[in-house]
Amino acid sequence: MNHNNSINISITLKNLIDGTGHHYWKPITDVSFVSFEVYDPSGKVAYSFYKEGTRIEDAVDIDTELAVYPGEWRYKISFAYTTNGIEPSDMKFALRYKTIFEDDIQWLVDNKLNKVY
């Protein structure tokens, strides 16, 4: 971020199941969960979403706004869940600038899109 701005955060979840079924993770945990965090430039959590166990079975549809300021912001998504193998499961996490500035676009191109990790 090169300016004070806002980002819109959108989260949707549906047809996630806690328990047995078709695994979409290496079973390193006994708990099904979904976690999404946004970190400010100092590394502190600026926004957090977490559900575990049978709570992930409830459909989620969140749209919220987060004020941001100059610096490099990061996000982290973690999850472990099952499905019934019939109905498609769906997770969506989206961040979108409320107002995008040319220098932010150029920074993303230079530092993220043109880098090989």
Side-chain angles (χ1 to χ4, degrees):
M1 290 288 185
N2 291 298
H3 305 273
N4 287 338
N5 204 337
S6 293
I7 55 174
N8 294 323
I9 298 172
S10 177
I11 301 172
T12 59
L13 309 174
K14 68 178 181 181
N15 295 328
L16 308 185
I17 299 173
D18 174 45
T20 60
H22 299 278
H23 292 275
Y24 287 95
W25 81 96
K26 183 178 179 183
I28 57 172
T29 177
D30 294 347
V31 179
S32 295
F33 72 96
V34 176
S35 172
F36 176 73
E37 296 174 320
V38 176
Y39 297 90
D40 72 12
S42 72
K44 293 181 182 174
V45 175
Y47 179 85
S48 178
F49 171 85
Y50 182 84
K51 279 191 162 201
E52 72 176 19
T54 57
R55 292 180 55 228
I56 69 168
E57 296 178 15
D58 299 330
V60 171
D61 192 6
I62 296 173
D63 284 304
T64 190
E65 190 173 297
L66 175 66
V68 294
Y69 48 86
E72 186 170 343
W73 291 70
R74 299 184 177 273
Y75 66 91
K76 178 180 174 184
I77 301 169
S78 303
F79 57 90
Y81 69 92
T82 62
T83 73
N84 63 12
I86 299 167
E87 297 173 322
S89 61
D90 182 46
M91 289 193 309
K92 178 180 91 171
F93 301 91
L95 299 174
R96 183 173 52 102
Y97 287 103
K98 187 164 187 177
T99 305
I100 190 153
F101 296 94
E102 184 60 37
D103 48 355
D104 285 325
I105 294 170
Q106 193 58 51
W107 185 91
L108 287 168
V109 169
D110 292 343
N111 293 285
K112 298 298 179 188
L113 296 178
N114 291 332
K115 276 194 168 183
V116 176
Y117 292 94

